[in-house]
Amino acid sequence: MKFKIKNNIFTEAINNVNRALSTKTPMPILKSIKMNLTDEGMHLTASDSNITIKQFIPTYINNEQNIMIDEIGSAAVPGKLLLEVLRKANDEYVEIAMFEEKFIHINFKNSDFTLNCLDVREYPNIKLISTNQPIELDSNQLNEIIKQTVISVATSETRPILTGVNIKIQNNVLHCVATDSYRLSEKNVSFDFELPDINIVVPGKSLLELERLLVNTKEKVQLHLSNNMISFKMDQIIFQSRLLDGNYPETSRLIPKEFGLEQQFNRQELIDVVDRVSLLTREGATNIIKFDIYEDKTIISLDSPEIGKVVEEVHPLQQEGSLIRIGFNSKYLLDALKVLKEEIVTIKFTGEVRPFIIKTDDDSLTQLILPVRIE
C-alpha cells in the first residue's frame, strides 16, 4: 500500500473513526484502524465491538483528486498515534507507504515517521447491518433530539437499561426518553409520513459519539435496525452501535399534570445566576442549591459549612401560585437549561418534595428534576 493524500481530509476522517476506538479492549487489534485502499478510495474502519464507525474517502470529490494512489492494499494502523502524527503534520499532503507488511511510513515536509502495525488479517470481520426500508431523519433534528435527551442517561451501571435512551415510534410519533431516576428528559416529534413502530434502547455513550459526528453532517441520516443493532448512515460515514437488552421502565406516569406554582424566567439570565451560585461546588461543596420563592423575588442560594455560602436574587418575568422553598441538584438544572433554544422558560412546581418540570414554547420537550428534602 502506497499513496499520497490531502492531510486535512485524512485527519478529519481518522478523527471521526477514532471515536470508536477503546484503550480498554482485550483485543489489541481493536486499538487499530483498518485502512483498506482501493482504486475507488480509502475505507477506514474502527470498532470497540460495541461501536463501529466506517468512513469512505473517495479518490475524487467533484472531479478534484484527493488521493494519489501508487499501490492499493490494507493495513491495521494504531489509531490514536496516527491521529497525533497527522495533527502535527505541517504540509498540505502526507505520503504513506507500508513495507514488510508490518510497518507504515508517514512522510510530510521534513518529517518521517515509522509506526509498527498489527497483522490486518487478524482484524475481526464486522458485519454492518442494512435494511431495505430505513428510517430517514434530518441530521439537525436528530442531533437536537440526542442533545436534549442524552443528558439524563444514568452513568452508573447499577441499572444498565437506564444508561441508554429509549426510542419508540408509534403512530408516526417518535418518542425519546432518558432518566437516571433523579431527572428525566422526554422529546416527542410527529412526522407527516409513515414510520414503522419500534421500541429500542440505544446506549447513551453511543449517542454522544454520534452527536459529535452529526455536527458536520448536513444531509439526511438513514436509520437501519436489526434485533440487537442500530446503524446510522450519513454522507460517507456509517455509525453502528449495539442496543441494550431489556425493557425500559414506563416513565409517562412520572411527569406531573397539575402544578401549584409556575415561574417564568429569561433562560440565559437564569443560567448565569445558577452558574454563579454553583461556583462553590467546584471547590468540593455540595451541589444542592435552594430556591426560596417569594411574591416579588426568588432567592437562589448554596450553603456549605466547609467552603462558604453564596446568595443571589432573581426576579421572575411572571409568577403564579403558592410560594415554596425547594432544593435540588444545580447541575441537573443547568444541563436542562443549556439544551433549550427558546429565550423564555417556565418552571412548573408541584411541591417541595415532588418533581418539577421545565418547559418552553416548544411543547415537544419536557425536562423533569426530582428535588431533595431540605431542612
Side-chain angles (χ1 to χ4, degrees):
M1 181 173 65
K2 187 177 181 181
F3 63 98
K4 185 177 180 180
I5 188 169
K6 283 189 174 180
N7 184 46
N8 62 330
I9 292 174
F10 195 41
T11 301
E12 182 181 349
I14 293 294
N15 183 52
N16 287 339
V17 297
N18 248 293
R19 301 187 186 283
L21 293 182
S22 172
T23 56
K24 300 178 181 178
T25 176
M27 298 176 61
I29 191 70
L30 290 184
K31 294 180 182 179
S32 300
I33 292 174
K34 181 181 179 182
M35 295 167 46
N36 183 31
L37 182 64
T38 68
D39 291 330
E40 288 74 34
M42 173 69 75
H43 299 265
L44 301 169
T45 305
S47 178
D48 65 359
S49 74
N50 289 315
I51 297 175
T52 298
I53 301 176
K54 185 172 184 178
Q55 180 160 353
F56 176 64
I57 307 173
T59 303
Y60 290 89
I61 298 180
N62 298 326
N63 295 321
E64 184 177 349
Q65 190 170 8
N66 295 304
I67 311 173
M68 280 66 80
I69 302 170
D70 287 335
E71 184 181 345
I72 62 174
S74 301
V77 185
K80 304 288 186 185
L81 188 54
L82 175 60
L83 180 60
E84 291 305 315
V85 171
L86 293 175
R87 282 175 170 167
K88 301 295 183 184
N90 55 351
D91 207 345
E92 182 181 0
Y93 288 88
V94 292
E95 295 182 19
I96 295 178
M98 189 175 187
F99 57 97
E100 297 181 13
E101 295 189 353
K102 56 182 179 181
F103 302 105
I104 196 161
H105 184 72
I106 306 169
N107 175 267
F108 52 89
K109 219 162 192 178
N110 301 317
S111 300
D112 287 289
F113 285 83
T114 300
L115 305 182
N116 296 341
C117 298
L118 295 178
D119 189 345
V120 71
R121 293 170 295 186
E122 295 179 3
Y123 203 89
N125 182 23
I126 299 170
K127 184 179 179 182
L128 296 174
I129 64 170
S130 184
T131 55
N132 294 328
Q133 293 182 311
I135 301 168
E136 197 167 75
L137 296 175
D138 179 80
S139 59
N140 290 329
Q141 187 177 45
L142 179 59
N143 188 33
E144 183 177 278
I145 291 170
I146 294 171
K147 186 176 294 185
Q148 292 178 338
T149 56
V150 77
I151 58 171
S152 291
V153 298
T155 55
S156 168
E157 296 287 341
T158 308
R159 295 182 65 187
I161 197 70
L162 296 186
T163 62
V165 176
N166 183 209
I167 299 176
K168 289 194 290 189
I169 297 178
Q170 196 169 18
N171 299 324
N172 299 328
V173 177
L174 177 67
H175 173 83
C176 300
V177 65
T179 181
D180 60 3
S181 298
Y182 302 103
R183 56 177 165 173
L184 179 145
S185 300
E186 180 185 75
K187 178 82 172 181
N188 296 302
V189 182
S190 299
F191 293 91
D192 56 5
F193 51 87
E194 201 70 27
L195 288 172
D197 288 357
I198 64 170
N199 188 351
I200 59 174
V201 183
V202 185
K205 291 180 180 178
S206 299
L207 292 175
L208 283 171
E209 296 300 343
L210 175 62
E211 181 195 338
R212 295 182 180 107
L213 293 176
L214 287 170
V215 171
N216 299 317
T217 303
K218 303 300 180 187
E219 298 181 6
K220 297 282 187 180
V221 179
Q222 289 186 347
L223 275 66
H224 298 257
L225 282 168
S226 71
N227 290 334
N228 63 344
M229 289 283 186
I230 186 168
S231 177
F232 301 85
K233 296 186 178 181
M234 63 203 102
D235 297 340
Q236 302 290 349
I237 302 175
I238 299 174
F239 181 99
Q240 183 166 288
S241 170
R242 291 189 183 277
L243 299 176
L244 293 177
D245 293 327
N247 296 318
Y248 204 84
E250 178 56 49
T251 59
S252 58
R253 58 183 176 80
L254 301 176
I255 301 175
K257 301 294 188 291
E258 297 180 357
F259 308 94
L261 172 67
E262 295 188 16
Q263 288 187 300
Q264 200 173 80
F265 293 96
N266 175 282
R267 184 178 68 91
Q268 190 57 54
E269 181 184 357
L270 187 58
I271 288 174
D272 293 342
V273 170
V274 175
D275 193 40
R276 284 194 297 268
V277 172
S278 302
L279 279 173
L280 296 188
T281 67
R282 296 164 199 172
E283 298 298 324
T286 175
N287 54 11
I288 302 302
I289 62 172
K290 298 173 186 175
F291 270 38
D292 285 284
I293 301 172
Y294 301 97
E295 288 186 1
D296 59 339
K297 63 184 176 182
T298 293
I299 303 297
I300 302 176
S301 63
L302 186 152
D303 191 355
S304 170
E306 299 84 8
I307 308 297
K309 182 178 180 179
V310 57
V311 177
E312 283 246 12
E313 184 177 305
V314 64
H315 298 270
L317 301 175
Q318 289 184 20
Q319 179 172 303
E320 182 179 345
S322 305
L323 309 180
I324 64 170
R325 186 176 194 233
I326 190 169
F328 51 89
N329 190 310
S330 61
K331 180 182 184 303
Y332 296 168
L333 180 59
L334 284 173
D335 286 348
L337 292 172
K338 287 177 180 178
V339 298
L340 301 176
K341 297 190 300 181
E342 290 72 22
E343 292 183 7
I344 306 300
V345 298
T346 302
I347 303 181
K348 301 183 177 185
F349 298 95
T350 56
E352 296 183 350
V353 291
R354 292 180 55 79
F356 64 90
I357 66 170
I358 303 159
K359 297 288 289 185
T360 67
D361 288 340
D362 177 11
D363 200 46
S364 70
L365 178 65
T366 301
Q367 300 286 354
L368 176 148
I369 297 174
L370 189 68
V372 297
R373 193 178 296 274
I374 56 176
E375 296 178 359

